[in-house]
Each structure stands twice: as C-alpha cells, then as structure tokens.
Amino acid sequence: MRLLVIEDDRSIAEPLRTGLTREGFEVHLVGTGEEALAAPPADLVLLDLGLPDLDGRVVCRELRARSQVPIIVVTARGEEIDRVTLLELGADDYVVKPFGFRELVARIRAVLRRSAQEQTAATSTAGSGPVTVGGLTVDRRTRKVTLAGEPVTLTPKEFDLLAYLAADPGTVHTRDQIISDVWDENWWGPTKTLDVHIASLRKKIGAATIETVRGVGFTVPDQPPEQ
Ligand code: CA
C-alpha cells in the first residue's frame, strides 16, 4: 500500500514516515502542495491542511477531482473545519493534531478497508447494468447519474448513498443500516451527515425521489411521482 503523506513540519513528517514504514506502508513524503499535485498516484493520501504554498483545501479538492483515492485530512487544533465542509472537499476522514500514532494507523486501515469494499461492490455490480427508477438512472459501473436524460453531478458520497438506496427501490433502509453500509460504523456525527447528504441529493434529483419514512429511515420509492 502506497501512502502519499503531505506534511511540511519535519518534526512530524519524519517520525510519521518511520512509523508508517514500520507498519508496512510504502511512504512517499512531500512538504508542499505543488509537490503533492505532482506526486505519482497512491492508495491513500494523508493531507495536512496547513501547507506553506497552497491552501490545503484546494489541494484536497484537486486530488479528489482527479481520482477516487481515499483522503484523510490533518488539521491543527484551532483550525478545525466543520465536518460538512470536509465532506464537501471530498475527504474521507480527518484527524486533529496532535494525534496519536496508533489512532492514525487505525484510521488509515479503516479508510482503506472501506475503499476496498466499495471497489468490490462496484466490481460485483459491474455486469448488472444501470438501475432506472422513474426518470432517474444510476450506473454504478461508470458512477454516472442522469435525470430525464440530463447528467447530474454528485459528490462521491452522494453517489454512494443514492446508488445504495436506488439499488433496491421500494425497500426502506434504516438510518443505522445506511450509516454502516455507506459510511462506516465508526463514523462521526452520523445523524447530521446523513441528513445533509439526503438534503443535497434531493436538491439535485428532486425531493420526491427519496422518501423519508418517519422514525425509520429512507427509501427510493418504486415509481417516484412526476417531477
Ligand atoms: Ca503544516
């Protein structure tokens, strides 16, 4: 597993490289945003947001625009960004300095595991073709969504959530199920995060496409009403 570690503080970067190498990772260490964007592809990115040249948030967005590589963002205490913003940046998880090395390794492994599961799920559905519900088409193979033939742009998590719900129209998924299948069981702030994603999906694909089942969870109804 190759890790791209973007950290300008050498007193953190060097021990991190030593420790992560000892854990069996291949570590590519860079100290600036420019170097990060020029680095070869990795299996996971650990990105310090406080970089000397570029805004770490810009680097994060840029990396996400290029690939689905899992990204863990590192923020300094006091510059904590809210979680919704992190999700919008396309980050998969975050840690706040000072963090424990054990905790970091656990986060890295959890994010890698989740990403491997997503890839397996994508592969296993590769031959099953796109799902169509009403005017909405969700293609897991290409990760593309269209509404009445028009492409819809979703964030990676919005896509995962919609693909999950639309895979089985009419079935009601509980909030807990959704959180553990689409995010993971250790996800922080699950209630807010799920609601934020549902709200944003409804804005993009129509409010009626995802129904709230009060006190239970959500469903994509078999035949959504005409928009
Ligand atoms: Ca820094």
Side-chain angles (χ1 to χ4, degrees):
M1 283 290 167
R2 280 159 308 148
L3 305 187
L4 172 60
V5 178
I6 306 155
E7 172 60 71
D8 58 306
D9 184 339
R10 297 193 72 83
S11 70
I12 295 175
E14 289 302 339
L16 208 50
R17 170 168 33 204
T18 308
L20 289 171
T21 304
R22 206 163 41 219
E23 290 293 318
F25 297 107
E26 191 184 312
V27 179
H28 183 70
L29 179 62
V30 299
T32 66
E34 291 288 356
E35 287 174 286
L37 294 177
D43 297 305
L44 183 139
V45 174
L46 188 65
L47 168 65
D48 176 28
L49 285 189
L51 294 172
D53 56 343
L54 303 175
D55 183 337
R57 286 169 295 193
V58 172
V59 175
C60 190
R61 275 209 196 89
E62 179 62 31
L63 290 173
R64 172 54 70 241
R66 292 178 186 183
S67 81
Q68 293 290 318
V69 65
I71 301 172
I72 299 178
V73 156
V74 181
T75 64
R77 191 176 291 283
E79 1 171 287
E80 293 164 45
I81 308 184
D82 73 84
R83 288 150 184 185
V84 175
T85 308
L86 276 171
L87 295 175
E88 281 167 4
L89 292 178
D92 293 84
D93 201 352
Y94 79 104
V95 290
V96 178
K97 286 179 184 173
F99 50 80
F101 181 70
R102 283 287 129 217
E103 183 203 350
L104 177 69
V105 171
R107 296 287 188 98
I108 289 175
R109 294 203 194 283
V111 168
L112 283 172
R113 204 160 47 234
R114 200 160 70 221
S115 143
Q117 278 164 0
E118 277 165 15
Q119 274 170 20
T120 308
T123 309
S124 67
T125 54
S128 64
V131 176
T132 300
V133 189
L136 185 73
T137 301
V138 181
D139 190 336
R140 295 183 81 123
R141 192 177 59 80
T142 59
R143 294 182 67 88
K144 292 212 164 85
V145 173
T146 59
L147 182 63
E150 293 294 317
V152 182
T153 307
L154 301 180
T155 67
K157 268 301 167 210
E158 285 168 2
F159 179 87
D160 292 342
L161 175 59
L162 178 62
Y164 177 79
L165 292 173
D168 202 1
T171 297
V172 177
H173 299 272
T174 66
R175 303 180 65 93
D176 286 350
Q177 254 174 1
I178 299 171
I179 294 292
S180 82
D181 291 350
V182 179
W183 280 269
D184 77 23
E185 65 277 16
N186 300 317
W187 191 254
W188 20 260
T191 303
K192 180 97 196 299
T193 302
L194 177 55
D195 291 327
V196 165
H197 280 73
I198 293 279
S200 139
L201 269 176
R202 280 175 170 155
K203 255 185 225 149
K204 294 180 179 179
I205 61 172
T209 312
I210 301 174
E211 255 176 33
T212 302
V213 181
R214 201 165 288 279
V216 184
F218 299 96
T219 183
V220 167
D222 265 324
Q223 297 269 306
E226 290 292 313
Q227 301 289 314

